[in-house]
Amino acid sequence: MKLLVTGSSGLIGSEVCVHFSRLGWRIHGVDNNQRAVFFGPQGDTRWNQHRLQRDLPAFVHHELDIRNRRGVLDLLAAVQPDAIVHTAAQPSHDRAAAIPFDDFDVNAVGTLNLLEATRHACPGSPFVHMSTNKVYGDRPNTIALRELDTRWDYDDPAYADGIGEEFPIDQSKHSLFGASKVAGDVMVQEYGRYFGMPTCCLRGGCLTGPNHSGVELHGFLSYLVKCNLEGREYKVFGYQGKQVRDNIHSHDVARFIAEFIKAPRVAEVYNIGGGRANSCSILEAFELVEKFSGRKQVWQYTDENRIGDHICYISDLAKMRRHYPGWDITVSLEETISQIVAAHAARLSVA
Ligand SMILES: NC(=O)c1ccc[n+]([C@@H]2O[C@H](COP(=O)([O-])OP(=O)(O)OC[C@H]3O[C@@H](n4cnc5c(N)ncnc54)[C@H](O)[C@@H]3O)[C@@H](O)[C@H]2O)c1
């Protein structure tokens, strides 16, 4: 079986490559290290590409920009993959406003290029798209909240288990990133509904793990750990540092993708995050990282929050569990943080 993974040098893409390689699949990775263009040298993902080329026996790297329509059509026609996992993206909320054309061309048009190429080459192959919870814009901030000692929490029993897939996606502030991801998300659903293709959108909360090239503008826990270990100041933007994120290890994302590909459905949407059990505020994250690194976090507070930033976001995982009872979260938040600390410490000792 052949898998085509876009964004293969990134956090989720690389985890998917490793997971499917262990399952015996041949992997075609597509990445052009655009993350280094978006975020500078700290975002460089070549080290991860080289790791895959070194460690995976049946991995082929394709240096291709998903904006290159002809290149994408030709690659899909040549490879004829049995499944496609699309993780390549401009992934930052805040970066998008400075590069609106790049953001939209990658997130929306790049996704369309891949969908159309799939429809021509292999319309029956499952197509999994990494979407984001930013498609809900800042509307989650309208849910009633209560302030606890170290975090915000929902003060509405309807959201006790988090936010489900029925939550409205429009008439709220998304950031240009959120808007370009909405375009991709709706297009992926449409190729399912209109053409009957087995597509799925995974609306991610905080996706994390030891193989993220974390930068200030993307990769919350990875960047926080980097700051902690290097003694750099971490900037907290508003909400008293009590803003809540639900964190899922990239391994559990890859496991869900494998479940979907094994038993695909048409035009599905899932909110994928760590759920309540793996949620934490920034203040709580500081404490957890300190516990594993043994170093005090240096941080500074700015009153102004990031535009459209969620105050409290927890994914309701009920639909994923109902559709795929063989799947659940297997990596706890503590274990995830300890892995990120260990990986960064190892990279620092080599540098
Ligand atoms: N990490 C998170 O917290 C998070 C949360 C919600 C949604 N998501 C979504 O999940 C997906 C994967 O996120 P990630 O954290 O693994 O991102 P990442 O930046 O680590 O990986 C993305 C990879 O795509 C590559 N890429 C970007 N533009 C490209 C292009 N035009 N052509 C070819 N390759 C290109 C980059 O070089 C990078 O290696 C993205 O769609 C992102 O929006 C991530």
Side-chain angles (χ1 to χ4, degrees), residues 7 10-12 31-32 34-35 65-66 89 131 181 205 207 212:
L11 169 76
I12 299 301
D31 206 299
N32 66 345
Q34 192 69 24
R35 191 174 169 90
D65 190 321
I66 60 165
S131 183
K181 292 294 274 191
L207 318 179
H212 219 182

Side-chain angles (χ1 to χ4, degrees), residues 3-20 27-35 38-39 45 48 51-52 59 61-62 64-67 72 76 83-92 103 105-108 110-112 114-115 118 126-132 177 180-181 184 188 200-204 207-208 211-212 218 250-258 261 272:
L3 182 71
L4 188 130
V5 182
T6 72
S8 45
S9 312
L11 169 76
I12 299 301
S14 62
E15 189 81 48
V16 168
C17 292
V18 171
H19 189 77
F20 278 80
I27 317 288
H28 290 265
V30 174
D31 206 299
N32 66 345
N33 197 23
Q34 192 69 24
R35 191 174 169 90
F38 292 146
F39 303 118
T45 56
N48 211 10
R51 180 177 71 95
L52 299 177
F59 176 82
H61 175 77
H62 299 272
L64 176 67
D65 190 321
I66 60 165
R67 289 172 289 188
V72 169
L76 271 281
I84 296 94
V85 180
H86 174 35
T87 80
Q90 190 299 105
S92 165
D103 178 79
D105 285 346
V106 173
N107 291 353
T111 301
L112 176 61
L114 283 152
L115 285 166
T118 302
F127 186 106
V128 178
H129 170 61
M130 290 311 302
S131 183
T132 168
F177 160 74
S180 66
K181 292 294 274 191
V188 170
C200 143
C201 294
L202 300 181
R203 295 178 173 164
L207 318 179
T208 191
N211 294 317
H212 219 182
H218 186 245
S250 47
H251 177 61
D252 282 334
V253 177
R255 286 179 47 256
F256 184 81
I257 291 172
I261 288 173
I272 187 168

Side-chain angles (χ1 to χ4, degrees), residues 62-246:
H62 299 272
E63 186 75 19
L64 176 67
D65 190 321
I66 60 165
R67 289 172 289 188
N68 174 351
R69 182 167 297 157
R70 186 72 263 156
V72 169
L73 286 163
D74 289 348
L75 181 65
L76 271 281
V79 172
Q80 301 267 329
D82 296 288
I84 296 94
V85 180
H86 174 35
T87 80
Q90 190 299 105
S92 165
H93 208 63
D94 297 313
R95 185 80 185 102
I99 50 168
F101 293 124
D102 283 334
D103 178 79
F104 197 84
D105 285 346
V106 173
N107 291 353
V109 184
T111 301
L112 176 61
N113 291 344
L114 283 152
L115 285 166
E116 192 55 13
T118 302
R119 187 169 78 88
H120 281 287
C122 48
S125 298
F127 186 106
V128 178
H129 170 61
M130 290 311 302
S131 183
T132 168
N133 63 13
K134 299 296 187 304
V135 300
Y136 298 118
D138 63 356
R139 194 186 280 244
N141 292 352
T142 62
I143 300 171
L145 295 173
R146 64 201 150 106
E147 186 174 359
L148 306 177
D149 283 349
T150 57
R151 66 157 71 194
W152 293 97
D153 202 351
Y154 302 130
D155 196 20
D156 179 340
Y159 296 99
D161 294 325
I163 293 176
E165 293 78 2
E166 302 305 319
F167 203 79
I169 66 165
D170 71 340
Q171 298 179 67
S172 58
K173 191 188 277 178
H174 289 81
S175 81
L176 297 190
F177 160 74
S180 66
K181 292 294 274 191
V182 166
D185 182 305
V186 172
M187 199 56 99
V188 170
Q189 291 186 56
E190 206 53 40
Y191 269 69
R193 291 213 170 78
Y194 195 89
F195 295 117
M197 288 164 55
T199 68
C200 143
C201 294
L202 300 181
R203 295 178 173 164
C206 265
L207 318 179
T208 191
N211 294 317
H212 219 182
S213 307
V215 290
E216 183 172 20
L217 294 181
H218 186 245
F220 157 56
L221 282 177
S222 170
Y223 180 70
L224 197 155
V225 167
K226 199 183 263 186
C227 287
N228 177 289
L229 290 179
E230 295 174 15
R232 274 198 257 161
E233 189 174 79
Y234 184 91
K235 278 202 204 90
V236 177
F237 296 94
Y239 306 144
Q240 288 80 49
K242 297 183 180 182
Q243 51 271 61
V244 170
R245 305 284 175 261
D246 69 330

